[in-house]
Amino acid sequence: MMVATSKSTPVRELMPDLFIPTILERVKAATGKAPHKATISDAVANERYTSKYWPYIEALALETNPELYRERMAYLHEQAGDKAA
């Protein structure tokens, strides 16, 4: 289930064009193998910030639009009741 987006811009909307191939390349460069593209797509679309691939997603989001990304993550952590937000 996707979190309501009325308070901030979803991570998917912050991503640049061709973000999936970019993330796959970065994961492969760092780990030696790339996950299936559906894994990355799902993590982004459903904002699964606990995914082991989130650091790669986060890096690209921060490169693309750091202010909106930080706002979105603060919102998601608040909605989830995370204390480390």
Side-chain angles (χ1 to χ4, degrees):
M1 180 170 83
M2 190 161 181
V3 177
T5 60
S6 61
K7 301 257 181 185
S8 61
T9 304
V11 173
R12 171 58 191 98
E13 291 181 22
L14 303 177
M15 288 294 171
D17 291 339
L18 301 173
F19 74 93
I20 292 176
T22 301
I23 294 170
L24 292 174
E25 287 173 15
R26 292 178 181 193
V27 172
K28 186 173 182 179
T31 67
K33 64 180 186 172
H36 192 277
K37 65 183 178 180
T39 303
I40 300 300
S41 179
D42 177 69
V44 172
N46 294 298
E47 298 179 313
R48 298 186 194 282
Y49 58 85
T50 59
S51 166
K52 67 181 179 180
Y53 301 112
W54 196 259
Y56 302 97
I57 295 165
E58 178 176 55
L60 185 56
L62 286 169
E63 290 170 24
T64 305
N65 196 327
E67 183 178 329
L68 286 179
Y69 176 75
R70 287 185 184 101
E71 287 176 12
R72 182 60 178 177
M73 292 310 296
Y75 175 73
L76 292 176
H77 286 292
E78 177 184 309
Q79 293 300 305
D82 295 346
K83 295 182 185 211

